[in-house]
């Protein structure tokens, strides 16, 4: 798919931006005068050192998408779920065009979401299965995601709150376990964010230039509170086409704090949009779907499995009829299906 749209002459805005930033960083010379154009550093670096331009960036994005799909598949298989059931659960993640668009044309988004998938899997194994190594993997994955997308900061906040609530539910007899869990998962991304902020201040004089450059430049609609209403409506519409997410959360009804933890990403996404961060509806959809798939409970009854499978298939239909409001997606779709 990436090769086909490239053959049709389509270049995504994201890929064009990274190629432009790579040129600006190179023009800054060895004194790092171009550091202000280097965030996010991983896609900018790849755009500068890999041959092939936009097509190569799309192919790297495809590799990230494959890793995300494989890690999510492996997480479900380890729960000893049947193969047909796992396939049904994964369809909302790979059998819809909106996700294909992100997985082939947005290296930063799909790369960050892939590492978020690793982090969410680690969160589940750390808090639900007491796997200590998984907690460190979660922290390192979130730090890596920051090098691809500033949204990782807000995801880290969501993961920290989820971990805090789940750990309080699961580790009631272990004083300090909840706080230790949060620190293990948030220290790497916090350290990396502060380090990058210092580097920007040292070489450009603008400590938060990386965040302002990543944020949208359009004004908040209808003022501060109008922007909040728009963010609420946008995230609400995303949840509406991802029914698997609230359903999986509801399966933890016997553990109220754990169930509340599953719902934490919703207000965090609202705040990210309210602050005008470039969060697309598709990225929010993939994030919520990943949260659901990585926290499917063990020991599901046959009726529960049947309900989840039906809802997963319904979600596929909903997302097919819910094209994201994006000029880039429209142009990509016309390249995939000429005349559409």
């Amino acid at each position: 798919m990436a090769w086909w749209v490239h053959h049709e002459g389509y270049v995504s805005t994201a890929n064009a931006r990274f190629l432009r930033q790579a040129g600006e960083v190179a023009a800054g010379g060895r004194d790092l005068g171009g550091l202000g154009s280097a965030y996010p550093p991983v896609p900018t670096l790849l755009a500068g050192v890999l041959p092939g331009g936009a097509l190569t960036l799309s192919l790297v994005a495809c590799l990230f998408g494959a890793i995300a799909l494989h890690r999510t598949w492996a997480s479900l298989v380890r729960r000893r779920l049947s193969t047909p059931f796992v396939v049904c659960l994964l369809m909302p993640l790979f059998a819809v065009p909106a996700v294909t668009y992100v997985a082939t044309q947005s290296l930063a988004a799909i790369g960050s979401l892939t590492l978020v998938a690793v982090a969410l899997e680690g969160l589940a194994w750390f808090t639900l299965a007491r796997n200590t190594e998984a907690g460190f993997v979660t922290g390192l994955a979130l730090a890596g995601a920051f090098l691809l997308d500033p949204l990782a900061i807000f995801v880290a906040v969501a993961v920290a709150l989820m971990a805090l609530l789940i750990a309080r539910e699961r580790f009631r007899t272990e004083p300090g376990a909840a706080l230790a869990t949060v620190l293990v998962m948030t220290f790497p991304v916090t350290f990396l964010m502060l380090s990058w902020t210092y580097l920007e201040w040292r070489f450009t004089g603008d400590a938060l230039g990386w965040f302002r450059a990543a944020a949208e430049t359009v004004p908040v609609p209808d003022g501060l509170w109008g922007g909040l209403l728009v963010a609420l409506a946008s995230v609400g519409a995303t949840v509406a086409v991802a029914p698997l997410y609230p359903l999986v959360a509801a399966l933890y009804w016997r553990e109220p704090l754990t169930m509340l933890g599953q719902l934490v990403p919703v207000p965090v996404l609202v705040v990210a949009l309210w602050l005008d961060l470039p969060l697309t509806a598709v990225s929010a959809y993939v994030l919520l779907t990943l949260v659901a798939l990585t926290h499917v409970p063990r020991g599901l009854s046959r009726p529960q499995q049947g309900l989840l499978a039906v809802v997963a298939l319904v979600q596929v239909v909903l997302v097919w009829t819910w094209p994201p409001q994006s000029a880039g997606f429209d142009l990509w779709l016309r390249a995939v299906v000429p005349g559409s």
Side-chain angles (χ1 to χ4, degrees):
M1 190 69 73
W3 178 87
W4 173 255
V5 296
H6 179 79
H7 174 73
E8 293 296 311
Y10 176 81
V11 177
S12 69
T13 303
N15 285 344
R17 172 195 166 198
F18 297 138
L19 291 169
R20 183 185 70 252
Q21 288 184 181
E24 293 172 355
V25 172
R30 295 183 178 180
D31 61 352
L32 299 184
L35 189 67
S37 301
Y39 189 83
V42 169
T44 303
L45 174 66
L46 293 177
V49 301
L50 295 179
L55 176 59
T56 301
L57 295 181
S58 292
L59 295 177
V60 174
C62 293
L63 292 176
F64 271 113
I67 294 170
L69 183 61
H70 175 264
R71 291 300 296 252
T72 309
W73 174 287
S75 177
L76 292 170
V77 168
R78 279 196 289 270
R79 287 172 170 78
R80 302 184 184 280
L81 302 173
S82 66
T83 299
F85 181 50
V86 170
V87 171
C88 285
L89 292 181
L90 285 175
M91 286 186 68
L93 199 59
F94 75 91
V96 292
V99 177
T100 304
Y101 166 68
V102 173
T104 60
Q105 300 301 322
S106 183
L107 172 58
I110 193 62
S112 177
L113 287 168
T114 298
L115 290 170
V116 167
V118 175
L120 290 172
E121 181 187 4
L123 169 66
W125 286 101
F126 187 58
T127 56
L128 303 181
R130 296 173 177 262
N131 186 316
T132 304
E133 181 184 355
F136 291 101
V137 169
T138 297
L140 294 174
L142 291 174
F146 170 76
L147 297 177
L148 287 145
D149 195 328
L151 180 63
I153 300 171
F154 295 87
V155 175
V157 172
V159 168
L161 292 174
M162 291 171 67
L164 181 64
L165 292 169
I166 297 172
R168 283 189 178 277
E169 187 90 61
R170 297 297 178 105
F171 308 147
R172 293 180 182 273
T173 60
E174 302 176 35
L179 178 60
T181 300
V182 171
L183 291 176
V184 164
M185 294 182 178
T186 58
F187 174 77
V189 67
T190 302
F191 176 80
L192 199 57
M193 181 188 69
L194 294 176
S195 299
W196 188 266
T197 300
Y198 171 78
L199 286 174
E200 290 253 354
W201 170 77
R202 176 66 179 80
F203 291 99
T204 70
D206 186 1
L208 294 178
W210 61 271
F211 187 84
R212 279 190 287 271
E216 295 287 353
T217 57
V218 296
V220 177
D222 301 323
L224 185 65
W225 297 113
L228 176 59
L229 293 176
V230 170
L232 285 168
S234 177
V235 175
T238 304
V239 174
V241 296
L244 204 58
Y245 169 70
L247 178 57
V248 170
L251 293 177
Y252 287 94
W253 64 275
R254 294 181 182 274
E255 302 176 40
L257 288 181
T258 301
M259 183 174 67
L260 184 61
Q262 306 297 315
L263 300 176
V264 161
V266 172
V268 172
L269 289 176
V270 170
V271 172
L273 273 176
W274 194 20
L275 294 178
D276 222 17
L277 210 66
L279 169 66
T280 66
V282 179
S283 293
Y285 165 82
V286 174
L287 175 60
L288 296 180
T289 304
L290 286 173
V291 171
L293 295 181
T294 53
H295 288 82
V296 172
R298 289 175 173 268
L300 291 173
S301 65
R302 286 191 176 275
Q304 288 175 327
Q305 290 190 31
L307 178 60
L308 282 174
V310 170
V311 171
L313 296 177
V314 169
Q315 182 166 319
V316 172
V317 175
L318 289 174
V319 181
W320 268 86
T321 60
W322 169 78
Q325 300 301 312
S326 165
F329 177 79
D330 293 339
L331 292 173
W332 174 82
L333 194 60
R334 290 172 191 163
V336 174
V337 186
S340 61

